[in-house]
Amino acid sequence: MNQNVAVFFGGKSNEHDVSVITGMYAVNLLRGAGYGVRPVYLPRDGGMCYIDAVGVKDVTDPKKKRIPAYLYDGGLWNAKKRKKLFEIDVALNCCHGGAGEDGTLSALLKWNGIKSASPSLSVSSVFMDKWLGKIAAKGLCVPVARAVCVKAGERVPLEEVGGFPVIVKPVTLGSSIGIRTAKDEEELRAALNFAFRFDRAALVEEYFSGRRDINCAAYRCDGKTVVSQLEEVFSDEAILTFREKYEKAARESQLPAELSDKTAEEIKEYTARIYEAFSCSGVVRADFLIADDKVYFNELNTVPGSLSCYLFGKSLTEARNFLSLLIEEALKENSEEKEIVETGILDSSVFSGGKGSKRRE
């Protein structure tokens, strides 16, 4: 394989470290598949650089050579020498959170004519915001838990979420960062102040005791949407925490989840419905809650942890084949530009000069 695959990871985000792990995981799997893999690291303080890394230690080593870079004209360029380092045949986004996951990187890739094996600007920007994500899901008749979005200083209309207890979470963060539960007004104020340390707004959401957390991923292959088996993630806390997701020796989950056929099919159908409605590309993971035998959409991750490889196969070989499939699907994408109409009005004397540019009543 001669294709250059640029793997982007890192970023100015609270999830920077997790992104480095996902990025290096993808880099090594794709190298094993025979691609010309080009690691592109996005430092915490912004920008991007090319780094010939084979492991996390290469990324964290300050002595490792990094070439400051930028995207332009279908490739990655050396920012100091203004010289193209390499063409990019396809990009893979492994950036969790921040400008990597909110659609900014997707837009940069598209602006520079680079194909992407990851979700586009539109779906990334909508679902990065948990409040907008709920609105989008409701518009597709996918049930969501009751919630309100508030900013600092605003009153929380608790009646709209059924009163205490509630879950408070930063509206655009992931990996359970900044999330707390509140059982009364004092805890609510503390939880909101905590959330506002990390984000511009917070989501206040109804709390379900005895809830079940279910994950389902989806991708596109040959024009068809493929959904994964379902995973149930367990928690010893009131909510699934960052520590439980990443710091425990072993993630506590069951794959496949023990669900009735009806519930499992409902979750898979909702996941496919969202994926297809937004014309998604690459892989996404939809997270659901089950409470009182009802299914609720929770959020959509457009750059899921480990790119959800584990939901489509247990072995590293299966993970490598899965990522290869995403790359090949992106390479097949027709990037032909649609016709742009030239109006010719700039050649008209009507709009010559400053006065002519004013709108006529």
Side-chain angles (χ1 to χ4, degrees):
M1 299 179 185
N2 298 318
Q3 294 93 345
N4 278 339
V5 179
V7 177
F8 292 81
F9 59 94
K12 195 174 182 179
S13 162
N14 289 297
E15 300 171 82
H16 173 277
D17 293 351
V18 179
S19 173
V20 171
I21 295 171
T22 296
M24 296 315 302
Y25 174 71
V27 162
N28 286 293
L29 284 175
L30 290 171
R31 278 179 173 155
Y35 292 99
V37 182
R38 311 293 186 177
V40 183
Y41 174 55
L42 281 60
R44 293 179 187 274
D45 55 357
M48 63 178 61
C49 60
Y50 173 62
I51 177 171
D52 187 17
V54 296
V56 172
K57 289 185 178 180
D58 288 330
V59 180
T60 58
D61 183 359
K63 297 181 180 179
K64 184 70 176 181
K65 184 179 180 181
R66 301 177 182 180
I67 302 176
Y70 60 90
L71 293 171
Y72 178 68
D73 190 29
L76 193 75
W77 289 60
N78 185 316
K80 293 183 177 180
K81 297 183 178 180
R82 302 298 176 93
K83 181 179 179 181
K84 182 177 283 190
L85 293 168
F86 50 82
E87 292 281 341
I88 300 176
D89 294 303
V90 63
L92 181 67
N93 184 2
C94 294
C95 298
H96 301 305
E101 191 173 359
D102 69 2
T104 302
L105 179 58
S106 302
L108 280 171
L109 293 169
K110 185 172 182 179
W111 181 266
N112 288 285
I114 299 170
K115 292 182 177 181
S116 175
S118 302
S120 66
L121 164 64
S122 56
V123 66
S124 299
S125 58
V126 169
F127 288 99
M128 182 71 173
D129 187 309
K130 294 179 176 62
W131 178 238
L132 293 182
K134 285 183 177 290
I135 293 172
K138 288 174 67 176
L140 295 171
C141 297
V142 176
V144 299
R146 291 179 292 179
V148 293
C149 184
V150 296
K151 297 179 180 178
E154 293 182 342
R155 171 185 169 273
V156 180
L158 284 170
E159 65 277 5
E160 294 186 24
V161 296
F164 292 111
V166 295
I167 295 176
V168 179
K169 58 183 73 171
V171 75
T172 64
L173 267 63
S175 294
S176 297
I177 295 172
I179 298 181
R180 288 184 174 179
T181 57
K183 299 186 294 293
D184 53 40
E185 288 287 350
E186 182 178 355
E187 289 186 354
L188 177 60
R189 285 193 296 271
L192 286 171
N193 288 334
F194 186 60
F196 293 143
R197 286 172 53 187
F198 307 105
D199 212 339
R200 57 176 174 77
L203 199 68
V204 180
E205 190 175 71
E206 67 176 311
Y207 176 81
F208 298 111
S209 59
R211 83 202 185 286
R212 299 176 68 184
D213 293 279
I214 309 294
N215 297 336
C216 180
Y219 69 96
R220 185 180 62 196
C221 181
D222 294 328
K224 296 181 180 180
T225 301
V226 181
V227 295
S228 72
Q229 55 187 328
L230 305 183
E231 175 194 33
E232 180 170 8
V233 184
F234 302 108
S235 173
D236 295 327
E237 310 289 341
I239 51 177
L240 187 61
T241 65
F242 180 92
R243 180 183 63 82
E244 290 177 308
K245 285 184 176 181
Y246 302 111
E247 294 181 0
K248 279 192 172 183
R251 177 187 172 98
E252 295 185 13
S253 65
Q254 183 165 336
L255 184 67
E258 289 188 3
L259 300 169
S260 68
D261 291 343
K262 177 179 178 296
T263 299
E265 287 306 312
E266 186 179 1
I267 290 173
K268 290 181 179 181
E269 194 279 325
Y270 287 151
T271 302
R273 188 186 304 181
I274 293 171
Y275 192 94
E276 292 168 0
F278 277 85
S279 299
C280 289
S281 56
V283 63
V284 303
R285 193 192 73 228
D287 298 349
F288 294 86
L289 303 174
I290 299 178
D292 299 324
D293 295 324
K294 294 181 179 179
V295 173
Y296 299 93
F297 168 79
N298 190 32
E299 61 182 278
L300 189 79
N301 297 275
T302 56
V303 185
S306 301
L307 300 181
S308 288
C309 290
Y310 63 95
L311 292 178
F312 296 98
K314 295 181 179 180
S315 70
L316 287 177
T317 299
E318 289 172 310
R320 182 184 64 206
N321 293 341
F322 173 66
L323 290 187
S324 297
L325 188 152
L326 296 183
I327 297 301
E328 293 303 315
E329 190 70 20
L331 288 169
K332 289 189 297 186
E333 191 72 26
N334 186 355
S335 58
E336 179 183 356
E337 294 287 342
K338 295 297 182 180
E339 180 181 353
I340 298 176
V341 175
E342 294 187 17
T343 64
I345 62 172
L346 295 181
D347 297 326
S348 171
S349 60
V350 174
F351 292 98
S352 62
K355 292 183 179 180
S357 64
K358 293 182 180 179
R359 180 176 178 178
R360 297 189 174 188
E361 299 295 333

